[in-house]
Amino acid sequence: MSIIELLNRITGARNTSANSACSRLRMVLAHDRSDLSPAILDQMRLEIMEVVSKYLELDHSGSELSLETEERSTALVANLPIRRVRKVVR
């Protein structure tokens, strides 16, 4: 769930086609500004999940990695559902 979706749920805003179009436009702008290809973004997702999986057991089917733009900043947002924390041996 993106931050926009969470805010819409909290404020009770409806998911209209205008809201969906705005969300899609933000995603396109974020990808354009970052100049990352979908292949590179997918590789980043795999590598991030590999590192995080050392410490946490993840639900890989529910994971999402996206770029979100708000005004002039772009953020890499990772939604990684956690099943459990792994015991880390140092």
Side-chain angles (χ1 to χ4, degrees):
M1 174 186 316
S2 71
I3 292 174
I4 293 170
E5 291 171 333
L6 178 62
L7 290 174
N8 285 344
R9 284 187 183 183
I10 291 171
T11 61
R14 293 186 179 176
N15 191 11
T16 65
S17 59
N19 288 343
S20 296
C22 186
S23 237
R24 286 192 303 271
L25 180 58
R26 283 190 185 121
M27 181 63 76
V28 168
L29 288 172
H31 282 279
D32 285 348
R33 288 183 183 168
S34 68
D35 198 29
L36 291 172
S37 71
I40 291 175
L41 192 59
D42 193 48
Q43 182 63 34
M44 284 175 53
R45 181 185 63 79
L46 292 173
E47 290 177 15
I48 288 170
M49 290 183 68
E50 182 181 327
V51 170
V52 173
S53 290
K54 292 179 182 179
Y55 304 96
L56 305 168
E57 183 179 321
L58 301 175
D59 177 4
H60 294 277
S61 65
S63 68
E64 295 177 26
L65 188 74
S66 63
L67 295 170
E68 295 184 4
T69 299
E70 192 167 311
E71 294 183 16
R72 294 186 173 258
S73 64
T74 301
L76 176 66
V77 178
N79 182 3
L80 306 171
I82 299 169
R83 288 187 178 156
R84 68 179 179 86
V85 176
R86 296 185 190 276
K87 283 189 173 183
V88 179
V89 179
R90 293 183 180 206

Coordinates of all heavy atoms in Angstrom, one line a residue:
M1 N 0.8 -1.2 0.0 CA 0.0 0.0 0.0 C 0.9 1.2 0.0 O 1.8 1.3 0.8 CB -0.9 0.0 1.2 CG -1.7 1.2 1.4 SD -2.7 1.4 2.9 CE -3.4 -0.2 3.1
S2 N 0.6 2.2 -0.9 CA 1.4 3.4 -1.0 C 1.0 4.4 0.1 O -0.1 4.2 0.7 CB 1.3 4.0 -2.3 OG 0.0 4.6 -2.5
I3 N 1.8 5.4 0.3 CA 1.4 6.4 1.3 C 0.1 7.1 0.9 O -0.7 7.4 1.7 CB 2.6 7.4 1.4 CG1 3.8 6.7 2.0 CG2 2.2 8.7 2.2 CD1 5.0 7.6 2.1
I4 N 0.0 7.3 -0.4 CA -1.2 8.0 -0.9 C -2.5 7.1 -0.6 O -3.5 7.7 -0.1 CB -1.1 8.3 -2.4 CG1 0.0 9.3 -2.7 CG2 -2.5 8.7 -3.0 CD1 0.3 9.5 -4.2
E5 N -2.4 5.8 -0.8 CA -3.5 4.9 -0.5 C -3.8 5.0 1.0 O -5.0 5.0 1.4 CB -3.2 3.5 -0.9 CG -3.2 3.3 -2.4 CD -2.6 2.0 -2.8 OE1 -1.9 1.4 -2.1 OE2 -3.0 1.5 -3.9
L6 N -2.8 5.0 1.8 CA -2.9 5.0 3.3 C -3.6 6.3 3.7 O -4.6 6.3 4.5 CB -1.6 4.9 4.0 CG -1.6 5.0 5.5 CD1 -2.5 3.8 6.1 CD2 -0.2 4.9 6.1
L7 N -3.2 7.4 3.1 CA -3.8 8.7 3.5 C -5.2 8.8 3.0 O -6.1 9.3 3.7 CB -3.0 9.9 2.9 CG -1.7 10.1 3.5 CD1 -0.9 11.2 2.7 CD2 -1.8 10.6 4.9
N8 N -5.5 8.2 1.8 CA -6.9 8.1 1.4 C -7.8 7.3 2.3 O -8.9 7.7 2.5 CB -6.9 7.6 -0.1 CG -6.5 8.6 -1.1 OD1 -6.4 9.8 -0.8 ND2 -6.2 8.1 -2.3
R9 N -7.3 6.2 2.8 CA -8.0 5.4 3.7 C -8.3 6.1 5.0 O -9.4 6.1 5.6 CB -7.3 4.1 4.0 CG -7.5 3.1 2.9 CD -6.9 1.8 3.3 NE -7.0 0.9 2.2 CZ -6.6 -0.4 2.2 NH1 -6.2 -0.9 3.3 NH2 -6.7 -1.1 1.2
I10 N -7.3 6.8 5.6 CA -7.4 7.5 6.8 C -8.4 8.7 6.7 O -9.2 8.9 7.6 CB -6.0 8.0 7.3 CG1 -5.1 6.9 7.7 CG2 -6.2 9.0 8.5 CD1 -3.7 7.2 8.0
T11 N -8.3 9.4 5.6 CA -9.1 10.6 5.4 C -10.5 10.3 4.8 O -11.4 11.1 4.8 CB -8.4 11.7 4.5 OG1 -8.2 11.1 3.2 CG2 -7.2 12.1 5.1
G12 N -10.6 9.0 4.4 CA -11.9 8.6 3.8 C -12.1 9.1 2.4 O -13.2 9.0 1.8
A13 N -11.0 9.5 1.7 CA -11.1 9.9 0.3 C -11.4 8.7 -0.5 O -10.9 7.6 -0.3 CB -9.8 10.6 -0.1
R14 N -12.2 8.9 -1.5 CA -12.6 7.8 -2.4 C -11.5 7.7 -3.5 O -10.9 8.6 -3.9 CB -13.9 8.1 -3.1 CG -15.1 8.1 -2.1 CD -16.4 8.2 -2.8 NE -17.4 8.2 -1.8 CZ -18.7 8.4 -2.0 NH1 -19.1 8.6 -3.2 NH2 -19.6 8.3 -1.1
N15 N -11.4 6.4 -4.0 CA -10.5 6.1 -5.0 C -11.2 6.3 -6.4 O -11.6 5.4 -7.0 CB -9.9 4.7 -4.9 CG -8.8 4.5 -5.8 OD1 -8.2 5.4 -6.4 ND2 -8.4 3.2 -5.9
T16 N -11.2 7.6 -6.8 CA -11.9 7.9 -8.1 C -10.9 7.7 -9.2 O -9.7 7.5 -9.0 CB -12.4 9.4 -8.1 OG1 -11.2 10.2 -8.0 CG2 -13.3 9.6 -6.9
S17 N -11.4 7.8 -10.4 CA -10.5 7.6 -11.6 C -9.5 8.8 -11.6 O -8.4 8.6 -12.1 CB -11.3 7.5 -12.9 OG -12.1 8.7 -13.0
A18 N -9.9 9.9 -11.1 CA -9.0 11.1 -11.1 C -7.8 10.8 -10.1 O -6.7 11.1 -10.5 CB -9.7 12.3 -10.7
N19 N -8.2 10.2 -9.0 CA -7.1 9.9 -8.0 C -6.2 8.8 -8.6 O -5.0 8.9 -8.4 CB -7.7 9.4 -6.7 CG -8.4 10.5 -5.9 OD1 -8.1 11.6 -6.1 ND2 -9.2 10.1 -5.0
S20 N -6.7 7.8 -9.3 CA -5.9 6.8 -9.9 C -5.0 7.3 -11.0 O -3.9 7.0 -11.0 CB -6.8 5.7 -10.5 OG -7.6 5.1 -9.5
A21 N -5.6 8.2 -11.8 CA -4.8 8.8 -12.8 C -3.6 9.7 -12.3 O -2.5 9.6 -12.7 CB -5.7 9.7 -13.7
C22 N -3.9 10.4 -11.2 CA -2.9 11.2 -10.5 C -1.8 10.3 -10.0 O -0.6 10.6 -10.1 CB -3.6 12.0 -9.4 SG -2.5 13.2 -8.6
S23 N -2.2 9.2 -9.4 CA -1.2 8.3 -8.8 C -0.3 7.7 -9.9 O 0.9 7.6 -9.8 CB -2.0 7.1 -8.1 OG -1.6 7.0 -6.8
R24 N -0.9 7.3 -11.0 CA -0.2 6.8 -12.1 C 0.8 7.8 -12.7 O 1.9 7.5 -13.0 CB -1.1 6.2 -13.2 CG -1.8 4.9 -12.9 CD -2.5 4.3 -14.1 NE -3.4 5.2 -14.7 CZ -4.7 5.2 -14.4 NH1 -5.2 4.5 -13.4 NH2 -5.5 6.0 -15.0
L25 N 0.3 9.0 -12.8 CA 1.2 10.1 -13.3 C 2.4 10.4 -12.4 O 3.5 10.5 -12.8 CB 0.3 11.4 -13.4 CG 1.1 12.6 -13.9 CD1 1.7 12.4 -15.3 CD2 0.2 13.8 -14.0
R26 N 2.1 10.3 -11.1 CA 3.2 10.5 -10.1 C 4.3 9.4 -10.3 O 5.5 9.6 -10.3 CB 2.7 10.4 -8.7 CG 2.1 11.7 -8.3 CD 1.8 11.7 -6.8 NE 1.1 12.9 -6.4 CZ -0.1 13.0 -5.8 NH1 -0.7 11.9 -5.5 NH2 -0.6 14.1 -5.5
M27 N 3.8 8.1 -10.6 CA 4.7 7.0 -10.8 C 5.5 7.2 -12.1 O 6.7 7.0 -12.1 CB 3.9 5.7 -10.9 CG 4.8 4.5 -11.1 SD 5.9 4.1 -9.7 CE 4.8 3.5 -8.5
V28 N 4.9 7.6 -13.1 CA 5.6 7.9 -14.4 C 6.6 9.0 -14.2 O 7.7 8.9 -14.7 CB 4.6 8.2 -15.5 CG1 5.3 8.8 -16.7 CG2 3.7 7.0 -15.8
L29 N 6.2 10.0 -13.5 CA 7.2 11.1 -13.3 C 8.4 10.7 -12.5 O 9.5 11.0 -12.7 CB 6.5 12.3 -12.6 CG 5.5 13.1 -13.4 CD1 4.8 14.1 -12.5 CD2 6.3 13.8 -14.5
A30 N 8.1 9.9 -11.5 CA 9.2 9.3 -10.6 C 10.2 8.5 -11.5 O 11.4 8.6 -11.3 CB 8.7 8.5 -9.5
H31 N 9.7 7.6 -12.3 CA 10.5 6.8 -13.2 C 11.3 7.7 -14.1 O 12.5 7.4 -14.4 CB 9.7 5.7 -13.9 CG 9.3 4.6 -13.0 ND1 10.2 3.6 -12.8 CD2 8.2 4.3 -12.3 CE1 9.6 2.7 -12.0 NE2 8.4 3.1 -11.7
D32 N 10.6 8.7 -14.7 CA 11.3 9.6 -15.7 C 12.5 10.3 -15.0 O 13.5 10.5 -15.5 CB 10.3 10.5 -16.3 CG 9.5 9.9 -17.4 OD1 9.8 8.7 -17.7 OD2 8.5 10.5 -17.8
R33 N 12.2 10.8 -13.8 CA 13.2 11.6 -13.1 C 14.4 10.8 -12.7 O 15.5 11.3 -12.6 CB 12.6 12.3 -11.9 CG 11.7 13.5 -12.3 CD 11.1 14.2 -11.1 NE 10.2 15.2 -11.5 CZ 9.4 15.9 -10.6 NH1 9.5 15.6 -9.3 NH2 8.6 16.8 -11.0
S34 N 14.1 9.6 -12.3 CA 15.2 8.7 -11.8 C 16.0 8.1 -12.9 O 17.1 7.6 -12.7 CB 14.6 7.6 -10.9 OG 13.9 6.7 -11.7
D35 N 15.4 8.0 -14.1 CA 16.1 7.4 -15.3 C 16.5 6.0 -15.0 O 17.5 5.5 -15.5 CB 17.3 8.3 -15.7 CG 17.7 8.0 -17.1 OD1 16.9 7.6 -17.9 OD2 18.9 8.1 -17.4
L36 N 15.6 5.3 -14.3 CA 15.9 3.8 -14.0 C 15.0 3.0 -14.9 O 13.8 3.2 -15.0 CB 15.6 3.5 -12.5 CG 16.5 4.0 -11.5 CD1 15.9 3.7 -10.1 CD2 17.9 3.4 -11.6
S37 N 15.5 2.0 -15.6 CA 14.7 1.1 -16.4 C 14.0 0.2 -15.5 O 14.4 -0.1 -14.4 CB 15.6 0.4 -17.4 OG 16.4 -0.6 -16.7
P38 N 12.9 -0.4 -16.0 CA 12.2 -1.4 -15.2 C 13.1 -2.6 -14.8 O 13.0 -3.2 -13.8 CB 11.1 -1.9 -16.1 CG 10.8 -0.7 -17.0 CD 12.2 -0.1 -17.2
A39 N 14.0 -3.0 -15.7 CA 15.0 -4.1 -15.4 C 15.9 -3.7 -14.2 O 16.1 -4.6 -13.4 CB 15.8 -4.4 -16.7
I40 N 16.4 -2.5 -14.2 CA 17.2 -2.1 -13.1 C 16.4 -2.0 -11.8 O 16.9 -2.5 -10.8 CB 17.9 -0.8 -13.4 CG1 18.9 -0.9 -14.5 CG2 18.6 -0.2 -12.1 CD1 19.6 0.3 -15.0
L41 N 15.2 -1.5 -11.9 CA 14.4 -1.4 -10.7 C 14.1 -2.8 -10.2 O 14.1 -3.1 -9.0 CB 13.1 -0.7 -11.0 CG 12.2 -0.3 -9.8 CD1 12.9 0.6 -8.9 CD2 10.9 0.4 -10.3
D42 N 13.8 -3.8 -11.1 CA 13.6 -5.2 -10.6 C 14.8 -5.8 -10.0 O 14.7 -6.5 -9.0 CB 13.1 -6.0 -11.8 CG 12.6 -7.3 -11.4 OD1 11.7 -7.4 -10.5 OD2 13.0 -8.4 -12.0
Q43 N 16.0 -5.5 -10.6 CA 17.3 -6.0 -10.0 C 17.5 -5.4 -8.6 O 17.9 -6.1 -7.7 CB 18.4 -5.7 -10.9 CG 19.8 -6.2 -10.4 CD 19.8 -7.7 -10.4 OE1 19.2 -8.4 -11.2 NE2 20.5 -8.2 -9.4
M44 N 17.2 -4.1 -8.4 CA 17.3 -3.5 -7.1 C 16.4 -4.2 -6.1 O 16.7 -4.5 -5.0 CB 16.9 -2.0 -7.2 CG 18.0 -1.2 -7.8 SD 17.5 0.6 -8.0 CE 16.9 1.0 -6.4
R45 N 15.1 -4.5 -6.6 CA 14.2 -5.1 -5.7 C 14.7 -6.5 -5.2 O 14.7 -6.8 -4.0 CB 12.8 -5.3 -6.4 CG 11.8 -6.0 -5.6 CD 10.5 -6.3 -6.3 NE 10.7 -7.2 -7.4 CZ 10.8 -8.6 -7.3 NH1 10.7 -9.1 -6.1 NH2 11.0 -9.3 -8.3
L46 N 15.3 -7.3 -6.1 CA 15.8 -8.6 -5.8 C 17.0 -8.5 -4.8 O 17.0 -9.2 -3.8 CB 16.2 -9.3 -7.0 CG 15.1 -9.8 -8.0 CD1 15.7 -10.3 -9.3 CD2 14.2 -10.7 -7.3
E47 N 17.8 -7.5 -5.0 CA 19.0 -7.3 -4.2 C 18.6 -6.8 -2.8 O 19.1 -7.3 -1.8 CB 20.0 -6.4 -4.8 CG 20.7 -7.0 -6.0 CD 21.7 -6.1 -6.7 OE1 22.0 -5.0 -6.1 OE2 22.0 -6.4 -7.9
I48 N 17.6 -5.9 -2.7 CA 17.2 -5.4 -1.4 C 16.5 -6.5 -0.7 O 16.8 -6.7 0.5 CB 16.2 -4.2 -1.6 CG1 17.0 -3.0 -2.1 CG2 15.4 -3.9 -0.4 CD1 16.1 -1.8 -2.6
M49 N 15.7 -7.3 -1.3 CA 15.0 -8.4 -0.7 C 16.0 -9.5 -0.2 O 15.9 -10.0 0.9 CB 14.0 -9.1 -1.6 CG 12.8 -8.1 -1.8 SD 11.5 -8.9 -2.8 CE 10.9 -10.1 -1.7
E50 N 17.1 -9.7 -0.9 CA 18.2 -10.6 -0.5 C 18.8 -10.2 0.8 O 19.0 -10.9 1.7 CB 19.2 -10.7 -1.6 CG 20.3 -11.7 -1.3 CD 21.3 -11.8 -2.5 OE1 20.9 -11.6 -3.6 OE2 22.5 -12.0 -2.2
V51 N 19.1 -8.9 0.9 CA 19.8 -8.3 2.1 C 18.8 -8.4 3.3 O 19.2 -8.8 4.3 CB 20.3 -6.9 1.8 CG1 20.8 -6.2 3.1 CG2 21.4 -6.9 0.8
V52 N 17.6 -7.9 3.1 CA 16.6 -7.8 4.2 C 16.3 -9.3 4.6 O 16.1 -9.5 5.8 CB 15.4 -7.1 3.7 CG1 14.3 -7.1 4.8 CG2 15.7 -5.6 3.4
S53 N 16.3 -10.2 3.7 CA 16.0 -11.6 4.1 C 17.0 -12.2 5.0 O 16.7 -13.3 5.6 CB 15.8 -12.5 2.8 OG 14.7 -12.1 2.1
K54 N 18.2 -11.7 5.1 CA 19.1 -12.2 6.1 C 18.7 -12.0 7.5 O 19.0 -12.7 8.4 CB 20.5 -11.5 5.9 CG 21.2 -11.8 4.6 CD 22.5 -11.0 4.5 CE 23.2 -11.3 3.2 NZ 24.5 -10.6 3.1
Y55 N 17.8 -11.0 7.7 CA 17.4 -10.6 9.1 C 15.9 -10.9 9.3 O 15.5 -11.0 10.4 CB 17.7 -9.1 9.3 CG 19.1 -8.7 9.1 CD1 19.5 -8.2 7.9 CD2 20.0 -9.0 10.1 CE1 20.9 -7.9 7.7 CE2 21.4 -8.7 9.9 CZ 21.8 -8.2 8.7 OH 23.1 -7.9 8.5
L56 N 15.1 -10.9 8.2 CA 13.7 -11.1 8.4 C 13.2 -12.1 7.3 O 13.7 -12.1 6.2 CB 12.9 -9.7 8.1 CG 13.3 -8.5 8.9 CD1 12.7 -7.3 8.3 CD2 12.9 -8.7 10.4
E57 N 12.2 -12.9 7.7 CA 11.5 -13.8 6.8 C 10.4 -13.0 6.1 O 9.5 -12.5 6.8 CB 11.0 -15.0 7.5 CG 10.3 -16.0 6.5 CD 9.8 -17.2 7.2 OE1 10.5 -17.7 8.1 OE2 8.7 -17.6 6.8
L58 N 10.5 -12.8 4.8 CA 9.6 -11.9 4.1 C 8.5 -12.8 3.3 O 8.8 -13.9 3.0 CB 10.3 -11.1 3.1 CG 11.4 -10.2 3.6 CD1 12.1 -9.5 2.5 CD2 10.8 -9.1 4.6
D59 N 7.4 -12.2 3.1 CA 6.4 -12.7 2.2 C 6.7 -12.1 0.8 O 6.3 -11.0 0.5 CB 5.0 -12.3 2.7 CG 3.9 -12.8 1.8 OD1 4.2 -13.5 0.8 OD2 2.7 -12.4 2.0
H60 N 7.4 -12.9 0.0 CA 7.9 -12.4 -1.3 C 6.7 -12.1 -2.2 O 6.8 -11.2 -3.1 CB 8.8 -13.3 -1.9 CG 10.1 -13.5 -1.1 ND1 11.1 -12.6 -1.3 CD2 10.5 -14.4 -0.2 CE1 12.1 -12.9 -0.5 NE2 11.8 -14.0 0.2
S61 N 5.6 -12.7 -2.1 CA 4.5 -12.5 -3.0 C 3.8 -11.2 -2.8 O 3.2 -10.6 -3.7 CB 3.4 -13.6 -2.9 OG 2.9 -13.6 -1.6
G62 N 3.9 -10.6 -1.6 CA 3.3 -9.3 -1.3 C 4.2 -8.1 -1.4 O 3.9 -7.0 -1.0
S63 N 5.5 -8.4 -1.8 CA 6.4 -7.3 -1.8 C 6.3 -6.3 -3.0 O 5.9 -6.8 -4.0 CB 7.9 -7.8 -1.7 OG 8.2 -8.4 -2.9
E64 N 6.6 -5.1 -2.7 CA 6.5 -4.1 -3.8 C 7.6 -3.1 -3.6 O 8.0 -2.7 -2.5 CB 5.2 -3.3 -3.7 CG 3.9 -4.1 -3.9 CD 2.7 -3.2 -3.8 OE1 2.8 -2.0 -3.9 OE2 1.6 -3.8 -3.5
L65 N 8.2 -2.6 -4.7 CA 9.2 -1.6 -4.7 C 8.8 -0.6 -5.7 O 8.5 -0.9 -6.9 CB 10.6 -2.2 -5.1 CG 11.8 -1.3 -4.9 CD1 12.1 -1.1 -3.4 CD2 13.0 -1.9 -5.6
S66 N 8.7 0.7 -5.3 CA 8.3 1.7 -6.3 C 9.0 3.0 -6.0 O 9.6 3.2 -5.0 CB 6.8 1.9 -6.1 OG 6.5 2.4 -4.8
L67 N 8.9 3.8 -7.0 CA 9.5 5.2 -6.9 C 8.3 6.1 -6.8 O 7.3 6.0 -7.5 CB 10.3 5.5 -8.1 CG 11.6 4.7 -8.3 CD1 12.1 5.0 -9.7 CD2 12.6 5.0 -7.2
E68 N 8.3 7.0 -5.8 CA 7.3 8.0 -5.6 C 7.8 9.4 -5.6 O 8.9 9.6 -5.0 CB 6.5 7.7 -4.3 CG 5.8 6.4 -4.4 CD 4.9 6.1 -3.1 OE1 4.9 7.0 -2.3 OE2 4.4 5.0 -3.1
T69 N 7.2 10.3 -6.3 CA 7.6 11.7 -6.4 C 6.6 12.6 -5.8 O 5.4 12.4 -6.0 CB 7.8 12.1 -7.9 OG1 8.8 11.2 -8.5 CG2 8.2 13.5 -8.0
E70 N 7.1 13.5 -5.0 CA 6.3 14.5 -4.4 C 7.1 15.8 -4.6 O 8.2 16.0 -4.0 CB 6.0 14.2 -2.9 CG 4.9 15.1 -2.4 CD 4.4 14.6 -1.0 OE1 4.1 13.4 -0.9 OE2 4.4 15.4 -0.1
E71 N 6.5 16.8 -5.3 CA 7.1 18.0 -5.6 C 8.5 17.7 -6.3 O 8.5 17.2 -7.4 CB 7.3 18.9 -4.4 CG 5.9 19.4 -3.9 CD 6.0 20.3 -2.7 OE1 7.1 20.9 -2.5 OE2 5.0 20.5 -2.0
R72 N 9.6 18.1 -5.7 CA 10.9 17.9 -6.4 C 11.7 16.8 -5.9 O 12.9 16.6 -6.3 CB 11.7 19.2 -6.3 CG 11.1 20.3 -7.0 CD 12.0 21.6 -7.0 NE 11.4 22.6 -7.8 CZ 11.9 22.8 -9.1 NH1 12.9 22.2 -9.5 NH2 11.4 23.8 -9.8
S73 N 11.2 15.9 -5.0 CA 11.9 14.8 -4.5 C 11.3 13.5 -4.9 O 10.1 13.4 -5.0 CB 12.0 14.9 -2.9 OG 10.8 14.8 -2.4
T74 N 12.2 12.5 -5.1 CA 11.8 11.2 -5.4 C 12.2 10.2 -4.3 O 13.4 10.3 -3.9 CB 12.4 10.8 -6.8 OG1 12.0 11.7 -7.8 CG2 12.0 9.4 -7.2
A75 N 11.4 9.3 -4.0 CA 11.7 8.3 -2.9 C 11.5 6.9 -3.4 O 10.6 6.6 -4.2 CB 10.8 8.6 -1.7
L76 N 12.4 6.1 -3.0 CA 12.3 4.6 -3.3 C 11.5 4.1 -2.1 O 12.0 4.2 -0.9 CB 13.7 4.0 -3.4 CG 13.7 2.5 -3.6 CD1 13.1 2.1 -4.9 CD2 15.2 2.0 -3.5
V77 N 10.4 3.5 -2.4 CA 9.5 3.0 -1.3 C 9.5 1.5 -1.4 O 9.1 0.9 -2.5 CB 8.1 3.6 -1.4 CG1 7.2 3.0 -0.4 CG2 8.1 5.1 -1.4
A78 N 9.8 0.8 -0.4 CA 9.8 -0.7 -0.3 C 8.7 -1.1 0.7 O 8.7 -0.7 1.8 CB 11.1 -1.2 0.1
N79 N 7.8 -1.9 0.2 CA 6.7 -2.5 1.0 C 7.1 -4.0 1.0 O 6.8 -4.7 0.1 CB 5.4 -2.3 0.4 CG 4.2 -2.8 1.2 OD1 4.5 -3.4 2.3 ND2 3.0 -2.8 0.8
L80 N 7.6 -4.4 2.2 CA 8.1 -5.8 2.3 C 7.4 -6.4 3.5 O 7.8 -6.3 4.7 CB 9.6 -5.8 2.5 CG 10.5 -5.1 1.5 CD1 11.9 -5.1 1.9 CD2 10.3 -5.8 0.1
P81 N 6.3 -7.2 3.3 CA 5.6 -7.8 4.4 C 6.5 -8.8 5.1 O 7.1 -9.7 4.5 CB 4.4 -8.5 3.7 CG 4.3 -7.9 2.4 CD 5.6 -7.4 2.0
I82 N 6.5 -8.7 6.4 CA 7.4 -9.5 7.3 C 6.6 -10.6 7.9 O 5.5 -10.4 8.5 CB 8.0 -8.6 8.4 CG1 8.8 -7.5 7.8 CG2 8.8 -9.5 9.3 CD1 9.3 -6.5 8.8
R83 N 7.1 -11.9 7.7 CA 6.5 -13.0 8.4 C 7.0 -13.2 9.8 O 6.2 -13.4 10.7 CB 6.8 -14.3 7.6 CG 6.0 -14.3 6.3 CD 6.2 -15.7 5.6 NE 5.4 -15.7 4.4 CZ 5.7 -16.5 3.4 NH1 6.7 -17.3 3.5 NH2 4.9 -16.5 2.3
R84 N 8.3 -13.1 10.0 CA 8.9 -13.2 11.3 C 10.4 -12.7 11.2 O 10.9 -12.5 10.2 CB 8.9 -14.6 11.8 CG 9.8 -15.6 11.1 CD 9.8 -17.0 11.7 NE 10.6 -17.9 10.9 CZ 11.9 -18.0 11.1 NH1 12.5 -17.4 12.1 NH2 12.7 -18.8 10.4
V85 N 10.9 -12.4 12.4 CA 12.3 -11.9 12.6 C 13.2 -13.2 12.7 O 12.8 -14.1 13.5 CB 12.4 -11.0 13.8 CG1 13.9 -10.6 14.0 CG2 11.5 -9.8 13.7
R86 N 14.2 -13.2 12.0 CA 15.2 -14.3 12.0 C 16.2 -14.1 13.2 O 16.5 -13.0 13.5 CB 16.0 -14.4 10.8 CG 15.2 -14.7 9.5 CD 16.1 -14.9 8.4 NE 15.4 -15.0 7.1 CZ 14.9 -16.1 6.6 NH1 15.0 -17.3 7.3 NH2 14.3 -16.1 5.4
K87 N 16.6 -15.2 13.8 CA 17.7 -15.1 14.8 C 19.0 -14.8 14.0 O 19.4 -15.6 13.1 CB 17.8 -16.4 15.6 CG 16.8 -16.5 16.6 CD 17.2 -17.7 17.5 CE 16.2 -17.8 18.7 NZ 16.6 -18.9 19.6
V88 N 19.7 -13.8 14.4 CA 20.9 -13.4 13.7 C 22.1 -13.8 14.6 O 22.2 -13.5 15.7 CB 21.0 -11.9 13.5 CG1 22.3 -11.5 12.8 CG2 19.8 -11.4 12.6
V89 N 23.0 -14.6 14.0 CA 24.2 -15.1 14.7 C 25.3 -14.2 14.3 O 25.6 -14.1 13.1 CB 24.5 -16.6 14.4 CG1 25.7 -17.0 15.1 CG2 23.3 -17.4 14.7
R90 N 26.0 -13.6 15.2 CA 27.1 -12.7 14.9 C 28.4 -13.4 15.2 O 28.6 -14.1 16.0 CB 27.0 -11.4 15.6 CG 25.8 -10.6 15.2 CD 25.8 -9.3 15.9 NE 24.6 -8.6 15.4 CZ 24.5 -7.3 15.4 NH1 25.5 -6.6 15.9 NH2 23.4 -6.7 15.0

